[in-house]
Amino acid sequence: MKRIILHVGRHKSGTTSLQASFWENRNLFLSKGILYPESSRRENAHHLFAEALHPKRVRENGLANVENEDVIRNLINEIESSSCQTVLISSEAFQNCTPTDVKHIFRNYDVSIIFYIREQVGYLESAYLQEVQATNYHESIERFEEERFFVDYYKFYKSWEKEFNNGNVIVRAFEKSKLKNGDIVDDFFETVIFPLTDGEFQYKKPQYDGFLRNASLKGIYIPFKLRLNTTIKIHKPCLYQTLGILSDEIDENSTVISEYLKYKVNNDYRESNFNLSEELGLDFNFFFNRSSKVYYHSHSDISPSEFLNLLRQLIARDERCSYLLRELYSYELIDENEHFKFIFSDNLILDSLKFIYLNTAKQQRRLFSELETSDGSFRIKKEKFNPQTDFLSIFFENEKNSVPLRLMNGA
C-alpha cells in the first residue's frame, strides 16, 4: 500500500515557503522514491484538489460526484501510475475540508497528516493583516476576531485524529525557537522527509526567509490600506506586491493587537491549548504570545495628504498601481443639455476636501460651494467649461501650502 504524507497547513505557518521548496525539489524527491504530484496544483501546491473537497461543494454535488471530477481523478491517476511508494501532497486549503471526506478519497492508501500551528495571537494579527492587504476588508481587528477568527487547535487535531488514528497525525510548532535551525523548510525535511529516505541529503531552498515568506503590512501602510479598502473594488497583484515590499522596508516594530485583545484570545483558547499540550506533550507556554512589539493604533485616521503621499510613493515604486489614481481621484462628466454634471468617485468624500477648483485658460474658480450635498456632484453651464482643455483640481483640508491634485475625467 502506498503511503501519503498530507500536509494540511495551517494557514500563516510558512506554507508558501514549504510549498516552494517542495516544487523546487520535486525531481530530487523522485530520485528518493517520493512523488510530489504535478496534477491539481495552483502554483506550487495542490490547492485545486483540496478546494474540490470543500464541504460546500461536497454538499452541493455529493462526494461520489466530486470523486469523479477531473481535478480529483487526475491526481489519483498520477499517484497510481508512479513507481514511487511515498506521495507528498500539500495545501492549507485542506484545513477547511471534512476529514471524513479526505479519508474516503484516500481510502486505498496509508495516510499521515501533518500540520504546523502558531500561537493564536500572532496568527490573528497575521491573518488580519493578510486579509486587509489582499482584499477590500476595512473593519477593525476586534471585529475580525469576533466574526472570522476561530482557531481551536485541539478540536482541529481531534477531528483529524479520529479519522486517521493516533500517531498518524503530526503537529509541529511554528516558532523559530522550536523549528530546526529556526527554519520551516529545514524543520520539515529533517522531521518528515529524511526519515522516509536512506538518510540526509542536500536540497534546494527558496530564495527567501524560510520562517515568514509573505511580507505583511506595517506601520503607516496599515491605515493607508484600510482607507483604500473603503472604496476600491479592483485589487491587482501589483498593489499587493508593492505594499508588501514597501512595508518590508520599514523599520517598524509594532502590533495592531491591544493588550486586552491579546488577553481575550489567550483566555478563549486556554483550555483547548492545554488539552492539546497534555495529549501531545507540547510546551503549553508556546501558546502565549511573547512579542516585544509595542502597541500600535492601526485605526488612527490618516490625513488626506498622508494618504495621497503614500499613494504617490506606491505609484513611484510600481507605475502599474497608477490605476488607483483614476479610481480614487476622478470624476464622470455627464452632458445635461445646458450643463455639464460632475460626479466624483466615491472616495472623494466631502469632509476630506477643502477646495475644488475649476481651472480654465483664463481663471481658477473655486467650486466647493456649488457641490450638491445629496450626492457630492455639481453642475456648470457649458459655456464655462471646455472638456478638452479645462480641468478640476482639489486642495485637502489643513493644507494651505500644498500643491493641488489634478483630477482626471474618468468618463
Side-chain angles (χ1 to χ4, degrees):
M1 179 181 291
K2 291 188 176 183
R3 182 180 184 186
I4 289 180
I5 307 298
L6 191 63
H7 172 232
V8 301
R10 290 181 49 109
H11 288 297
K12 313 308 298 180
S13 64
T15 53
T16 302
S17 296
L18 277 177
Q19 291 153 359
S21 70
F22 296 159
W23 184 248
E24 185 76 11
N25 289 283
R26 64 191 184 284
N27 291 328
L28 180 60
F29 283 165
L30 285 174
S31 70
K32 302 293 183 180
I34 302 172
L35 172 69
Y36 189 65
E38 295 190 25
S39 303
S40 307
R41 287 180 303 106
R42 184 169 62 248
E43 296 181 344
N44 298 320
H46 304 100
H47 299 315
L48 299 180
F49 187 93
E51 289 165 1
L53 292 173
H54 190 281
K56 182 178 179 181
R57 294 194 77 253
V58 172
R59 265 194 323 270
E60 292 175 348
N61 302 309
L63 185 57
N65 292 325
V66 170
E67 186 176 11
N68 288 316
E69 292 180 1
D70 288 344
V71 70
I72 300 293
R73 296 310 316 163
N74 289 344
L75 189 139
I76 296 298
N77 290 338
E78 184 176 351
I79 294 173
E80 289 299 306
S81 61
S82 172
S83 60
C84 294
Q85 294 303 301
T86 302
V87 182
L88 173 62
I89 298 172
S90 175
S91 173
E92 58 270 36
F94 279 114
Q95 78 176 52
N96 300 319
C97 298
T98 303
T100 305
D101 297 338
V102 176
K103 181 180 181 181
H104 176 80
I105 295 297
F106 292 124
R107 59 191 178 278
N108 296 322
Y109 306 97
D110 179 18
V111 181
S112 293
I113 307 297
I114 180 168
F115 60 90
Y116 285 77
I117 58 175
R118 64 187 294 176
E119 49 82 21
Q120 282 105 335
V121 173
Y123 191 171
L124 168 61
E125 180 173 46
S126 182
Y128 172 72
L129 292 177
Q130 172 77 10
E131 189 74 3
V132 171
Q133 185 175 356
T135 72
N136 64 349
Y137 189 81
H138 56 273
E139 303 292 347
S140 69
I141 191 169
E142 289 79 12
R143 186 163 182 176
F144 180 85
E145 186 273 334
E146 181 181 355
E147 297 179 349
R148 302 193 182 193
F149 191 73
F150 308 101
V151 188
D152 187 323
Y153 289 139
Y154 186 65
K155 182 177 180 180
F156 182 77
Y157 165 75
K158 295 301 287 185
S159 69
W160 288 96
E161 189 265 346
K162 178 181 178 182
E163 300 300 331
F164 293 96
N165 304 320
N166 188 25
N168 285 332
V169 181
I170 303 169
V171 182
R172 300 284 297 171
F174 183 67
E175 182 183 285
K176 272 195 172 184
S177 65
K178 299 186 181 299
L179 297 171
K180 299 291 184 181
N181 305 322
D183 187 286
I184 185 71
V185 176
D186 288 346
D187 191 82
F188 195 95
F189 272 75
E190 292 193 26
T191 61
V192 179
I193 299 297
F194 289 165
L196 299 174
T197 64
D198 53 4
E200 297 186 7
F201 55 86
Q202 293 294 317
Y203 52 88
K204 299 176 184 177
K205 294 179 67 174
Q207 299 300 309
Y208 44 71
D209 183 1
F211 178 68
L212 290 174
R213 165 63 181 91
N214 293 317
S216 296
L217 291 174
K218 285 193 287 187
I220 193 65
Y221 292 106
I222 299 172
F224 169 78
K225 188 56 165 58
L226 284 166
R227 178 172 178 140
L228 191 64
N229 286 351
T230 63
T231 55
I232 63 168
K233 299 178 177 62
I234 302 175
H235 287 263
K236 295 185 179 180
C238 61
L239 174 60
Y240 178 90
Q241 295 162 1
T242 309
L243 277 176
I245 292 170
L246 289 171
S247 293
D248 206 36
E249 295 173 354
I250 297 177
D251 184 16
E252 176 73 52
N253 187 33
S254 61
T255 179
V256 298
I257 297 183
S258 67
E259 287 299 319
Y260 170 77
L261 185 57
K262 182 188 297 186
Y263 169 82
K264 180 181 183 302
V265 172
N266 284 333
N267 193 58
D268 286 349
Y269 296 107
R270 182 182 297 271
E271 182 177 353
S272 168
N273 292 341
F274 179 79
N275 290 336
L276 186 67
S277 300
E278 286 290 292
E279 187 155 333
L280 298 181
L282 298 175
D283 178 10
F284 182 54
N285 290 322
F286 155 73
F287 293 104
F288 294 93
N289 181 272
R290 297 179 297 280
S291 173
S292 61
K293 292 180 178 180
V294 297
Y295 177 45
Y296 172 68
H297 292 271
S298 68
H299 297 287
S300 58
D301 197 17
I302 182 172
S303 73
S305 59
E306 287 179 307
F307 180 83
L308 182 56
N309 286 336
L310 290 172
L311 181 61
R312 284 169 168 158
Q313 289 180 28
L314 190 69
I315 294 170
R317 182 59 65 92
D318 190 335
E319 63 180 15
R320 292 177 298 174
C321 293
S322 60
Y323 79 93
L324 293 169
L325 276 175
R326 184 168 296 279
E327 282 208 33
L328 296 172
Y329 301 108
S330 64
Y331 59 87
E332 182 180 2
L333 187 63
I334 299 177
D335 190 330
E336 289 189 337
N337 297 319
E338 297 181 357
H339 293 80
F340 285 123
K341 181 178 181 181
F342 298 81
I343 302 178
F344 291 126
S345 63
D346 292 338
N347 196 53
L348 217 55
I349 51 179
L350 301 184
D351 60 7
S352 71
L353 300 179
K354 186 169 185 179
F355 300 124
I356 298 178
Y357 285 97
L358 166 63
N359 297 269
T360 70
K362 297 181 179 180
Q363 65 174 340
Q364 185 182 66
R365 176 184 169 195
R366 200 174 89 179
L367 298 174
F368 188 79
S369 60
E370 298 183 35
L371 284 170
E372 297 180 5
T373 57
S374 59
D375 61 2
S377 66
F378 66 89
R379 292 173 174 82
I380 295 179
K381 289 185 177 181
K382 284 189 175 180
E383 62 265 23
K384 294 183 178 181
F385 184 79
N386 183 346
Q388 304 304 316
T389 59
D390 301 344
F391 63 93
L392 301 183
S393 62
I394 58 174
F395 279 97
F396 294 111
E397 63 177 332
N398 301 323
E399 298 180 49
K400 296 179 180 178
N401 300 317
S402 65
V403 177
L405 172 68
R406 176 170 176 164
L407 299 179
M408 296 176 289
N409 183 358

